[in-house]
Amino acid sequence: MRWYILRRLGQAALVLWGAMTLSFAIVHLVPGDPVRIMLGVGDGAEGGSAATTEQIEQVRSELGLDRPVLVQYVAFLARAVTLDFGTSYSTQRPVTEVIAGATPPTLQLAALSIALSLVLGLVFALAGALLPTRWIRSLFQSVTVLGIAVPSFWVAILLLQVFSFSLGWFPAFGNDSFAALVLPAFTLALLTAGTLAQVLGRGIVESLAQPYADTARAKGASQARVVVRHALRNGSLPVFTIVGMMVGGILSGATIVETIYGRNGLGTVIVDAITARDFPLIQALVIFSGGVFVIVTLLVDLGYRYIDPRVTSPAASEVLV
């Protein structure tokens, strides 16, 4: 178990280092001078801002872009480890303060959307396995495909039109109350609930074909008991992986959903940072997103032990991966 944890920690550190390197490369892979792009100054200084040469060189010095690339890289890694990302040029506030202020609304959105996804995915997967009529089971399984195929912005517009503008049940914009959180969370939940239902439903069907399910039926257990008591746990292992991957999907989906619903969260900060070409903030957001994904994936990997103890064996984990 110790080597399993150490190996996972090493893999997590490697992924996080990759996110930091990618974040550093963003500035240097952008065509043109990143300082002029950030200040809105064209290469020919025509139609751009009124920034002077002295101001451009001052910003270049503040970002450390006047030093050798290797020195910049080492200094960037050192600052990233201590969470020192400098000052946001679009808000004139410390980057960590901007991200910290936008994180709670997105965390609330992510928590509620994951909870809704799990409930919806479980309901549709169990319905597809337990309902007595074959065509009704097929209907529930087909509905889950819609959740995967329909784009999030279309779902958001449809929910706004029906539940906000027509029925008036929920506010259309803002993040001042729990009611304002329902429609954005439901929009994100629909995207992942379909995938969860499909994977969990397939896992339950495969588990029901195993010998232990036949043994339970031979002992007189009902179909519902076989599904809930035996097939559900064994069929949920792939779902556990998807729940970890959902975090990354929710962070990317929040960029669209928070913009449509006018919520102040990380999604809005990402859009504003890209629009304003705020490189320090963009770099920090890339590392932050990578860090969240690494932490959640690590927790999911360690949690496998309680669902399937075979993964603590290196040989078994290689097979399962």
Side-chain angles (χ1 to χ4, degrees):
M1 182 63 183
R2 180 190 302 174
W3 289 111
Y4 175 77
I5 295 176
L6 290 176
R7 188 178 62 171
R8 292 304 187 195
L9 287 174
Q11 292 173 345
L14 188 63
V15 173
L16 198 55
W17 170 75
M20 291 180 183
T21 302
L22 174 63
S23 176
F24 174 79
I26 288 176
V27 174
H28 296 275
L29 293 179
V30 172
D33 187 345
V35 176
R36 287 178 174 273
I37 293 174
M38 192 166 60
L39 296 178
V41 181
D43 289 338
E46 183 177 349
S49 70
T52 63
T53 303
E54 290 75 15
Q55 290 172 326
I56 294 174
E57 294 304 322
Q58 181 182 354
V59 173
R60 195 187 310 280
S61 176
E62 291 174 357
L63 293 175
L65 296 176
D66 55 347
R67 293 180 290 177
V69 175
L70 184 59
V71 175
Q72 294 180 39
Y73 179 62
V74 174
F76 178 80
L77 292 181
R79 288 190 291 109
V81 170
T82 59
L83 301 181
D84 178 14
F85 298 103
T87 302
S88 165
Y89 278 83
S90 59
T91 64
Q92 293 301 311
R93 296 164 54 199
V95 169
T96 51
E97 182 179 311
V98 175
I99 295 177
T103 298
T106 301
L107 281 181
Q108 296 171 0
L109 176 62
L112 185 57
S113 62
I114 289 175
L116 288 173
S117 296
L118 292 175
V119 171
L120 292 174
L122 182 61
V123 168
F124 275 85
L126 290 178
L130 292 176
L131 288 176
T133 308
R134 184 182 180 86
W135 71 268
I136 297 180
R137 293 200 301 268
S138 300
L139 177 63
F140 270 86
Q141 293 170 356
S142 300
V143 169
T144 59
V145 178
L146 289 176
I148 302 173
V150 178
S152 59
F153 69 88
W154 190 85
V155 174
I157 294 173
L158 182 65
L159 293 178
L160 279 174
Q161 184 64 38
V162 175
F163 294 103
S164 292
F165 301 140
S166 298
L167 299 176
W169 290 357
F170 301 101
F173 307 107
N175 51 352
D176 298 329
S177 63
F178 179 78
L181 184 64
V182 173
L183 292 185
F186 203 73
T187 302
L188 285 176
L190 286 178
L191 299 176
T192 51
T195 304
L196 285 177
Q198 288 275 330
V199 174
L200 183 57
R202 188 174 297 115
I204 290 175
V205 170
E206 291 176 354
S207 297
L208 288 175
Q210 299 300 316
Y212 60 79
D214 295 333
T215 303
R217 294 191 192 93
K219 291 182 178 179
S222 63
Q223 178 72 355
R225 182 179 176 82
V226 174
V227 170
V228 175
R229 187 71 180 271
H230 301 283
L232 184 59
R233 178 177 177 180
N234 292 311
S236 64
L237 194 58
V239 175
F240 204 53
T241 303
I242 292 178
V243 171
M245 297 175 63
M246 282 170 55
V247 175
I250 286 175
L251 284 177
S252 60
T255 305
I256 299 174
V257 172
E258 288 183 345
T259 302
I260 293 176
Y261 288 98
R263 292 179 55 82
N264 295 321
L266 285 175
T268 304
V269 170
I270 292 173
V271 173
D272 292 342
I274 295 174
T275 303
R277 293 161 291 189
D278 191 341
F279 287 116
L281 187 53
I282 294 173
Q283 288 179 311
L285 287 168
V286 170
I287 296 175
F288 178 81
S289 301
V292 171
F293 187 76
V294 165
I295 292 173
V296 173
T297 304
L298 181 62
L299 293 176
V300 168
D301 287 343
L302 297 179
Y304 272 132
R305 177 175 180 270
Y306 297 98
I307 296 179
D308 189 347
R310 293 175 300 171
V311 299
T312 58
S313 166
S317 61
E318 291 293 342
V319 173
L320 291 173
V321 170

